[in-house]
Amino acid sequence: MGMVSEFKEFISRGNVVDLAVGVVIGAAFGKIVSSLVDGIVMPLVGLLLGGVKFGDLAVTLRAAELDAAGKEIAPALLLKYGAFLQTTIDFLLIAFVIFLVLKAYNRVRAPAPAAATPEDILLLREIRDSLKK
């Protein structure tokens, strides 16, 4: 079997195609949730915290160095923890939304409980089993 035919067999399996579709949809879904976080959730959280924008939160480790004319020689060294907080909140919200979607999907996909077997079928099975003996 040649490499081309092996590759064709591999790529035509359902799992590979399903995975590719899942990755593409997941990337688009991640963009939607990131937009939700950046455009709606974080501004509301910032408003509740007194107008703070999370992306701008930072600790100055070293101030910018200026020359005699006031021109910047070396930029300030900042520890930008706000961007980290915002990314962490993005991740948690995306994970929570995916959890909710999967929970709803599993509820819809759960197999229906088996219906009770009617009495006449049970009686016919008993007759069949007794005739086999």
Side-chain angles (χ1 to χ4, degrees), residues 53-74:
K53 186 175 177 186
F54 272 88
D56 296 339
L57 294 177
V59 173
T60 304
L61 300 175
R62 185 185 71 217
E65 295 180 24
L66 306 175
D67 63 6
K71 188 174 178 183
E72 186 176 72
I73 299 171

Side-chain angles (χ1 to χ4, degrees), residues 4-90:
V4 174
S5 60
E6 282 184 57
F7 179 72
K8 186 177 178 182
E9 181 184 332
F10 168 76
I11 204 70
S12 64
R13 289 184 192 162
N15 295 346
V16 175
V17 175
D18 291 343
L19 179 62
V21 170
V23 167
V24 170
I25 289 176
F29 187 72
K31 288 181 181 180
I32 291 170
V33 176
S34 292
S35 175
L36 170 74
V37 170
D38 292 339
I40 297 173
V41 174
M42 294 311 286
L44 291 175
V45 170
L47 183 66
L48 292 173
L49 296 177
V52 175
K53 186 175 177 186
F54 272 88
D56 296 339
L57 294 177
V59 173
T60 304
L61 300 175
R62 185 185 71 217
E65 295 180 24
L66 306 175
D67 63 6
K71 188 174 178 183
E72 186 176 72
I73 299 171
L77 181 60
L78 301 174
L79 182 67
K80 297 180 180 181
Y81 68 91
F84 175 74
L85 286 174
Q86 184 159 355
T87 303
T88 302
I89 291 171
D90 284 353

Side-chain angles (χ1 to χ4, degrees), residues 88-131:
T88 302
I89 291 171
D90 284 353
F91 170 76
L92 292 174
L93 284 174
I94 289 170
F96 182 69
V97 170
I98 288 173
F99 168 75
L100 292 177
V101 168
L102 288 176
K103 188 172 180 169
Y105 175 75
N106 287 336
R107 184 177 302 134
V108 169
R109 224 174 147 216
T117 307
E119 279 294 318
D120 56 344
I121 300 295
L122 291 174
L123 183 59
L124 287 172
R125 285 182 185 166
E126 286 178 23
I127 295 170
R128 178 197 64 198
D129 292 342
S130 65
L131 288 175

